Amino acid sequence: MNDIAHYINGSALSGDSSRTQPVYDPATGETEKNVVLGSAADVDTAVAAAKAAWPAWSKTPALRRARVLDRFKSILWERADELAGILASEHGKTHEDALGEVTRGLEVVEFATSAPSFLKGDFSENVGTGVDSHNIRQSLGVCVGITPFNFPAMVPMWMFPVSLACGNTFILKPSERVPSASLKMAEWLTEAGLPDGVFNVVQGDKEAVDALLNHRDVKAISFVGSTPIAKYIYTTGTSNGKRVQALGGAKNHAIIMPDADLDMAANALMGAAYGSAGERCMAISVAVPVTDAVADALIEKLIPKIEALRIGPTGDSDSDMGPLVTAQHRDRVSGYIDAGEAEGAKVVIDGRGFKQDKQGFENGYYLGGTLLDNVTADMSVWKDEIFGPVLAVVRRNSYQEALDLVHSHDFANGTAIFTRDGDTARAFSQDVEVGMIGINVPIPVPMAFHSFGGWKASIFGDHSMHGMEGVRFYTRIKTTTTRWPDGQRSDAEFVMPTLG
Ligand code: NAD
């Protein structure tokens, strides 16, 4: 059995812990690897390496830091296929989808290469007579990223490229379910010329996370994962005096207005609900058609599309959707369909009976696409984040009723509206209390030079990720006010200068 371990101070390290956990290939249900679950001693080793590397890295000119990231970006372009293969084999997403993930991560690296520009300070001349004032942004020190299973490369790349570009050193604690991509990125950063200790990986679970949360030399923590853990990370980290940004769970609604292009909406919902088997924080898991007539017409369009979904192994180029990440998660999602049915939802298409008959993949963690109609706001399938290929239809009779439904949910990560009416779309984007909005766009993930983050229970902390919000999170501002005493401004002297 192959053990996946840490990457500290520029090389792989097996570490101090004897605890391990299996890593599965969700497509086959088999395991050939274990991940080492790091101890507090492993965290100490990584923090010491990152702390030692910080003074030199933070003083390296931003232009040179950016050049290292630029070389890393070139490696990512050239070897995107290799990284996508690693992602797909541990997560279960299709290879094409994994390539999309690498591209979205790479775009943040691209943004980070503009560090000399975004780190430029402000200067005010004559804030008082003969007094000037300027601001600079300086790095924080050792920063930490704790990431979820569903984007093993992209979510870490929401964090570390900007953090490194700003002059920090970094420790990544990836999800123990998908540990390998982090090591590949660490190797490639070293190959790109990143000095040892600037980027480190500690594998692990709660033990490693707690050691990072309590380590006095850790200055900032970026977290992405479920809401209960996000709350815990935020509360513990901030009470230990650290800067924390913690992005949590989601339940994203798409409102379909009576004037919407229904073919466009149905196609968009297919990708947004079932792409990556629904394991995306920006997946649309609730469709809110306005009027019963729209609901009936939409469902009629969705049924044949869901029945035609090609569910297969990650490597098959003809798969639309792969397996779920673990057998336990597949059973949890299936349990939600049971609960929805018991609570009175109509199971229009039932993914529970899906059997994968491709040879060698019969034991993978597959589940069919599921459509639930007549879902109401008191059902667990509406209240909870399911994180699987399940689309719930909640019928509403007016725009206002649909908006109220969106507002009544605790999560506020993303939302979309499908309409041809500019006035409705404009009112929606202005009034809705959600962080990321799509107008006829189902998964409105902001580009790298904008920032990613939800509202309400989908985020804890003041800064969302990447773009200028990332720069603000990973730097602290310093303001210098300067006055000079009267200097020597006399004319040139031609006699031999003497001191005193
Ligand atoms: P998770 O919360 O189980 O795990 C996230 C990280 O927290 C992992 O690194 C894990 O090791 C660590 N962790 C888990 N339990 C812990 C504990 N008790 N104490 C300390 N650390 C712990 O999330 P997941 O299942 O890996 O990922 C799916 C979740 O992530 C979903 O809720 C999804 O919405 C969310 N997510 C949110 C965004 C966003 O941008 N808002 C993006 C991607 C995923």
Side-chain angles (χ1 to χ4, degrees):
M1 196 78 92
N2 222 342
D3 270 357
I4 302 161
H6 319 298
Y7 191 94
I8 298 175
N9 220 3
S11 40
L13 198 83
S14 48
D16 158 82
S17 169
S18 54
R19 289 192 312 128
T20 61
Q21 175 176 312
V23 178
Y24 295 97
D25 176 349
T28 60
E30 282 162 14
T31 172
E32 288 169 0
K33 307 181 257 189
N34 280 324
V35 61
V36 170
L37 301 173
S39 63
D42 295 325
V43 165
D44 274 344
T45 311
V47 176
K51 188 180 177 191
W54 179 62
W57 181 247
S58 65
K59 291 200 161 56
T60 300
L63 189 62
R64 266 195 254 155
R65 295 198 298 254
R67 284 183 187 142
V68 173
L69 290 166
D70 194 50
R71 284 194 290 275
F72 176 63
K73 185 192 76 180
S74 303
I75 296 174
L76 278 176
W77 268 126
E78 285 159 18
R79 302 182 204 160
D81 224 39
E82 183 184 343
L83 188 57
I86 294 170
L87 303 180
S89 72
E90 292 180 358
H91 174 280
K93 61 181 72 182
T94 65
H95 192 79
E96 284 302 305
D97 191 28
L99 276 174
E101 167 175 357
V102 175
T103 304
R104 291 312 297 259
L106 186 147
E107 287 164 1
V108 183
V109 183
E110 213 157 35
F111 167 73
T113 61
S114 57
S117 171
F118 62 60
L119 289 175
K120 272 191 317 210
D122 303 316
F123 188 95
S124 298
E125 187 184 39
N126 285 332
V127 293
T129 305
V131 181
D132 304 325
S133 190
H134 71 274
N135 288 334
I136 53 171
R137 291 199 160 271
Q138 291 191 320
S139 60
L140 308 174
V142 179
C143 296
V144 164
I146 301 165
T147 52
F149 81 84
N150 65 326
F151 286 108
M154 182 186 80
V155 169
M157 284 194 270
W158 284 354
M159 304 169 179
F160 73 76
V162 181
S163 184
L164 298 182
C166 290
N168 300 289
T169 55
F170 203 86
I171 298 169
L172 173 63
K173 203 303 286 171
S175 165
E176 57 275 45
R177 285 181 268 180
V178 290
S180 298
S182 57
L183 297 180
K184 194 46 78 182
M185 292 189 289
E187 274 172 32
W188 291 350
L189 281 164
T190 301
E191 191 182 329
L194 194 73
D196 293 349
V198 173
F199 180 81
N200 309 275
V201 177
V202 175
Q203 308 287 357
D205 56 5
K206 182 171 170 53
E207 185 175 331
V209 171
D210 284 345
L212 289 163
L213 283 172
N214 290 302
H215 202 297
R216 62 192 296 269
D217 291 328
V218 168
K219 303 297 178 199
I221 297 183
S222 301
F223 172 88
V224 175
S226 58
T227 284
I229 309 297
K231 244 185 206 170
Y232 169 71
I233 301 280
Y234 183 77
T235 313
T236 316
T238 50
S239 67
N240 287 340
K242 302 183 193 316
R243 196 177 274 205
V244 182
Q245 53 177 182
L247 275 54
K251 192 83 180 176
N252 305 318
H253 297 68
I255 298 177
I256 296 98
M257 294 299 291
D259 67 344
D261 178 331
L262 276 195
D263 288 308
M264 180 194 204
N267 279 333
L269 285 175
M270 287 302 299
Y274 303 109
S276 200
E279 293 170 326
R280 289 181 183 141
C281 62
M282 288 295 274
I284 293 289
S285 51
V286 187
V288 192
V290 171
T291 74
D292 282 337
V294 174
D296 293 341
L298 181 72
I299 288 172
E300 200 174 308
K301 287 184 188 294
L302 285 172
I303 289 172
K305 292 178 194 292
I306 301 170
E307 285 174 342
L309 268 175
R310 297 167 304 174
I311 302 166
T314 46
D316 274 14
S317 55
D318 60 357
S319 299
D320 298 318
M321 182 177 118
L324 280 92
V325 67
T326 56
Q328 189 193 19
H329 185 55
R330 189 240 350 247
D331 296 345
R332 181 180 168 275
V333 175
S334 195
Y336 268 111
I337 306 172
D338 297 343
E341 190 172 32
E343 287 164 353
K346 178 177 171 195
V347 184
V348 181
I349 299 190
D350 192 346
R352 288 171 294 187
F354 179 83
K355 289 262 170 303
Q356 182 56 261
D357 50 19
K358 287 201 173 146
Q359 204 182 353
F361 300 98
E362 298 87 343
N363 297 323
Y365 313 135
Y366 299 93
L367 188 71
T370 296
L371 183 64
L372 302 176
D373 190 12
N374 296 325
V375 171
T376 54
D378 53 355
M379 294 181 187
S380 58
V381 284
W382 179 76
K383 287 193 253 183
D384 298 350
E385 180 181 41
I386 300 177
F387 225 54
V390 180
L391 179 63
V393 177
V394 182
R395 295 168 177 241
R396 285 294 179 263
N397 289 314
S398 66
Y399 166 76
Q400 191 56 49
E401 279 184 24
L403 186 67
D404 291 346
L405 179 77
V406 175
H407 284 166
S408 62
H409 210 288
D410 290 341
F411 292 133
N413 210 41
T415 186
I417 191 166
F418 287 84
T419 179
R420 286 187 167 96
D421 182 53
D423 176 54
T424 308
R426 185 168 180 276
F428 180 70
S429 73
Q430 288 204 336
D431 296 341
V432 71
E433 295 187 4
V434 173
M436 293 172 282
I437 320 296
I439 310 287
N440 298 312
V441 172
I443 307 184
V445 175
M447 292 297 288
F449 36 89
H450 288 272
S451 300
F452 185 106
W455 287 12
K456 291 163 66 178
S458 295
I459 196 167
F460 301 87
D462 303 324
H463 294 287
S464 46
M465 294 201 177
H466 63 69
M468 285 311 291
E469 280 290 273
V471 175
R472 286 179 202 113
F473 180 76
Y474 287 123
T475 53
R476 50 190 169 173
I477 201 155
K478 184 181 271 178
T479 309
T480 305
T481 305
T482 310
R483 162 184 286 145
W484 295 102
D486 290 346
Q488 289 193 348
R489 283 185 252 165
S490 49
D491 292 340
E493 291 177 15
F494 296 96
V495 296
M496 181 68 184
T498 52
L499 296 175

